[in-house]
Amino acid sequence: MHSIVSIKQVPDFAQIGVNPLTNTILRQGRRVSSNKTPCLRARPRAYCVKSSPVRSPRSPGSMCSAAPNAARRCCAQSCRALPTMPEASQICRGLITDALRAPLGPVVKWSEQEASVENISKCGVRGSPIIVKRVFAPSPQTERRRMGATKQPTELLMKAILKGRPKLETGLVAQARGL
Amino acid sequence: MSNITTAPTPVAGGRAGAKRELPEHFKAYKHIWVFVEQERGQVHPVSWELMGAGRKLADKLKVDLAAVVIGPEGEAARTAALESFCYGADLAYLVSENVLSEYRNESHTKALTDLVNTYKPEILLLGATTLGRDLAGSVATTLLTGLTADCTELDVDADGSLAATRPTFGGSLLCTIYTLNYRPQMATVRPRVMPMPERLARDAARIIIHPLRLLEEDIVTKVLSFMPDRDSAKSNLAYADAVVAGGLGLGSPESFQLVRQLADVLGAEYGCSRPLVQKGWVSSDRQIGQTGKTIRPKLYIAAGISGAIQHRVGVEGADLIVAINTDKNAPIFDFAHIGIVNDAMHLLPALTAAFRARLSPHSRDRIAS
């Protein structure tokens, strides 16, 4: 029985690079097959994908979807995907001896043949059925009011919250009575 | 893997500018489907939220909106199908067999892929819940189509393609994703991202019952027992009408009581930003934001929360966002409707007292206004 943990690479916050041809975030590293599915040669019984990388829990949705995808591709019948949410498990840090041992550990690199890749054009971003058409920044709130530091802000704030919102006040009264 | 067919050759280079060249065999794919998620007879509300979003897309494309209900034999699945008409479905597909009584990836994937291959929908929407994410990923893989996870906005383009917008890179950027040359176009949406449509009593429309040729012996996974999560019923954050939340600006776990007190007076739920969960001050089921709950209350009061983008994506659906923060440059003021530069530690108790007086049944102010 084998267990595999997939680690998603996320660039550092200070270094966002977007590929102008594909509109996808630039990540450096080994090539993966379509839909972020690692090329799997072994036939694992369990395929565990933590939904976020250790230091950068940023895109839980896509990784949660990638887990069953990977399980489906590597062994449709005997494998169960175990996607986990970021809050479901604690980060385990290894011992210092593990950290020292790590650089000496073998890193196995597979060729296309070894990874059973039949058509390299179906791997990576080029092989994905989805296309990122547009990347843009979220827009700021259009209607907003800011109150500066005032001496008696409480009444002002409460009135600002309730002003012109009779339904909100009625709702709050009903909720408060319900307790 | 025998049921995976050969994929069309992908477009090389310059993908962002790729045009729609739909292969001939995909041109028969029409109509919009929403997967109605139900477990133990309960429909997840995200399904009705999606039905509302699907209705708008169907009206734009002038196609039908269909509900897909997969569950055990009995009344519950049929009731869910009938209920879908009240939220805007034109027809419902029902796969109702006892091998589907508990969610299992294999059986549900088989049921949904069979339906898609038989009736050929153009767009398939699922809730981004634990179940929906698991199912969507394997269905998309089996059908060799694309899947856009955790969308925040769905629209159709001039050429009729689904334009699915989702946060990328932790929400600091948004991207719009297309599945140009594969069908169906699949997307998942998290609960509370789309507004709940109004339920209108409607007569039952067409229900298409689809048989699933699958025996219990053919399914590898078995459900041994069901253990309800004792904590899951504790907070109703995602569906609360009013939410008060605190962040690191509160300074200490004791100060978080101020948030709870204001929430008590308002009859609101309380929540927090991620750092408080990481520090162990508040339990994780109270976390609001990208890796916590998405909320859509009528009133959201954020005290001592800076408003990092991960928090923002979880609260943007609130009708009224009130931010209290000492830092006038805090990013929360970029998206709050009412912002007040003040110390939450001092303001919260005063605000609690003021609301207690105002919301009491004997409040003069309220009666006068």
Side-chain angles (χ1 to χ4, degrees):
Chain A
M1 175 169 171
H2 303 282
S3 295
I4 293 176
V5 177
S6 168
I7 299 168
K8 181 182 176 183
Q9 287 176 289
V10 180
D12 204 287
F13 249 142
Q15 309 166 346
I16 305 178
V18 175
N19 182 329
L21 281 179
T22 61
N23 270 345
T24 52
I25 293 166
L26 292 173
R27 294 184 171 89
Q28 289 186 328
R30 75 184 165 111
R31 191 186 280 259
V32 295
S33 64
S34 91
N35 276 348
K36 300 173 186 162
T37 310
C39 305
L40 297 178
R41 188 174 55 168
R43 287 186 165 262
R45 296 286 289 277
Y47 185 90
C48 312
V49 174
K50 245 190 97 63
S51 62
S52 59
V54 172
R55 282 179 59 241
S56 316
R58 290 185 188 144
S59 189
S62 55
M63 283 302 273
C64 281
S65 300
N69 180 340
R72 190 93 194 131
R73 279 171 194 273
C74 69
C75 36
Q77 284 297 307
S78 61
C79 182
R80 178 86 179 106
L82 303 168
T84 61
M85 295 303 287
E87 64 269 28
S89 51
Q90 295 282 318
I91 296 172
C92 304
R93 296 192 192 282
L95 301 169
I96 187 73
T97 47
D98 291 331
L100 292 170
R101 201 162 46 86
L104 304 173
V107 176
V108 181
K109 283 189 182 176
W110 287 336
S111 66
E112 289 167 29
Q113 289 77 25
E114 283 170 320
S116 311
V117 175
E118 288 165 10
N119 182 352
I120 198 71
S121 72
K122 288 182 184 169
C123 289
V125 172
R126 287 178 67 189
S128 174
I130 58 172
I131 290 164
V132 181
K133 274 277 184 185
R134 203 160 71 92
V135 180
F136 55 102
S139 53
Q141 192 68 253
T142 46
E143 289 176 36
R144 62 174 198 249
R145 295 168 60 189
R146 187 181 296 202
M147 298 158 76
T150 51
K151 281 185 182 170
Q152 288 188 321
T154 315
E155 283 293 317
L156 212 60
L157 178 56
M158 191 177 69
K159 281 179 181 161
I161 291 172
L162 297 176
K163 192 181 174 190
R165 297 186 183 88
K167 276 190 182 170
L168 175 66
E169 185 164 3
T170 318
L172 289 175
V173 170
Q175 280 175 35
R177 277 187 194 168
L179 290 175
Chain B
M1 303 262 274
S2 58
N3 50 351
I4 294 180
T5 51
T6 314
T9 310
V11 185
R15 289 168 54 82
K19 295 272 186 302
R20 191 167 100 160
E21 293 164 18
L22 200 60
E24 202 57 40
H25 64 282
F26 283 139
K27 289 185 178 163
Y29 283 66
K30 273 210 164 53
H31 308 301
I32 296 173
W33 286 12
V34 172
F35 173 71
V36 177
E37 176 178 333
Q38 52 147 12
E39 273 192 299
R40 305 187 162 260
Q42 294 287 317
V43 175
H44 197 294
V46 72
S47 307
W48 306 141
E49 293 163 15
L50 282 175
M51 205 64 81
R55 185 70 261 168
K56 287 179 192 158
L57 299 178
D59 290 345
K60 269 192 183 175
L61 287 170
K62 298 188 173 59
V63 296
D64 286 344
L65 174 67
V68 178
V69 181
I70 296 173
E73 289 171 23
E75 271 308 295
R78 195 173 171 78
T79 308
L82 292 172
E83 190 69 5
S84 69
F85 300 128
C86 301
Y87 288 97
D90 297 309
L91 74 158
Y93 294 95
L94 178 62
V95 185
S96 177
E97 303 201 7
N98 281 339
V99 287
L100 302 164
S101 58
E102 300 278 358
Y103 172 76
R104 282 175 292 179
N105 181 279
E106 291 159 86
S107 50
H108 272 63
T109 299
K110 169 109 173 60
L112 193 49
T113 49
D114 270 9
L115 279 172
V116 168
N117 286 329
T118 311
Y119 299 101
K120 304 185 190 315
E122 192 175 11
I123 293 172
L124 173 56
L125 307 176
L126 300 94
T129 57
T130 312
L131 188 159
R133 283 169 171 162
D134 187 61
L135 181 60
S138 55
V139 168
T141 306
T142 311
L143 296 169
L144 284 181
T145 188
L147 166 65
T148 312
D150 282 14
C151 301
T152 52
E153 202 181 320
L154 299 171
D155 203 354
V156 281
D157 205 357
D159 69 354
S161 300
L162 177 70
T165 300
R166 74 180 301 271
T168 185
F169 203 57
S172 44
L173 292 170
L174 294 166
C175 60
T176 304
I177 292 176
Y178 286 66
T179 307
L180 286 179
N181 299 323
Y182 299 81
R183 290 294 179 270
Q185 303 162 89
M186 289 181 62
T188 63
V189 180
R190 285 176 58 167
R192 304 302 280 152
V193 168
M194 300 292 173
M196 177 65 82
E198 194 182 346
R199 184 187 183 281
L200 300 169
R202 282 178 61 195
D203 290 337
R206 198 153 54 106
I207 297 181
I208 297 168
I209 296 169
H210 185 81
L212 177 69
R213 288 176 191 87
L214 186 66
L215 299 171
E216 179 61 45
E217 299 84 79
D218 298 335
I219 307 173
V220 177
T221 46
K222 306 290 173 202
V223 178
L224 302 180
S225 66
F226 178 80
M227 290 169 285
D229 183 353
R230 281 173 300 165
D231 298 333
S232 64
K234 271 189 195 163
S235 81
N236 187 29
L237 261 182
Y239 292 91
D241 277 342
V243 174
V244 185
L248 262 191
L250 292 171
S252 72
E254 291 74 33
S255 312
F256 194 75
Q257 286 303 319
L258 304 175
V259 168
R260 295 185 66 163
Q261 284 160 6
L262 178 57
D264 274 353
V265 166
L266 293 173
E269 287 283 343
Y270 69 89
C272 67
S273 58
R274 188 181 164 103
L276 300 205
V277 173
Q278 287 174 326
K279 280 182 175 286
W281 296 0
V282 186
S283 63
S284 62
D285 61 323
R286 296 284 174 181
Q287 186 187 321
I288 299 168
Q290 193 179 22
T291 49
K293 302 271 189 331
T294 301
I295 60 170
R296 266 193 108 81
K298 294 188 175 74
L299 170 64
Y300 175 55
I301 300 177
I305 291 177
S306 64
I309 196 75
Q310 289 85 347
H311 188 75
R312 176 179 179 166
V313 295
V315 304
E316 272 184 322
D319 291 346
L320 177 65
I321 301 172
V322 179
I324 305 166
N325 206 301
T326 46
D327 176 8
K328 67 178 179 3
N329 297 317
I332 197 158
F333 291 125
D334 291 340
F335 60 92
H337 301 91
I338 299 174
I340 183 155
V341 182
N342 207 297
D343 188 352
M345 301 276 288
H346 296 125
L347 192 64
L348 281 178
L351 197 60
T352 306
F355 267 115
R356 184 178 286 126
R358 173 88 180 199
L359 298 177
S360 94
H362 309 296
S363 163
R364 280 185 191 168
D365 283 353
R366 192 159 51 77
I367 293 162
S369 60

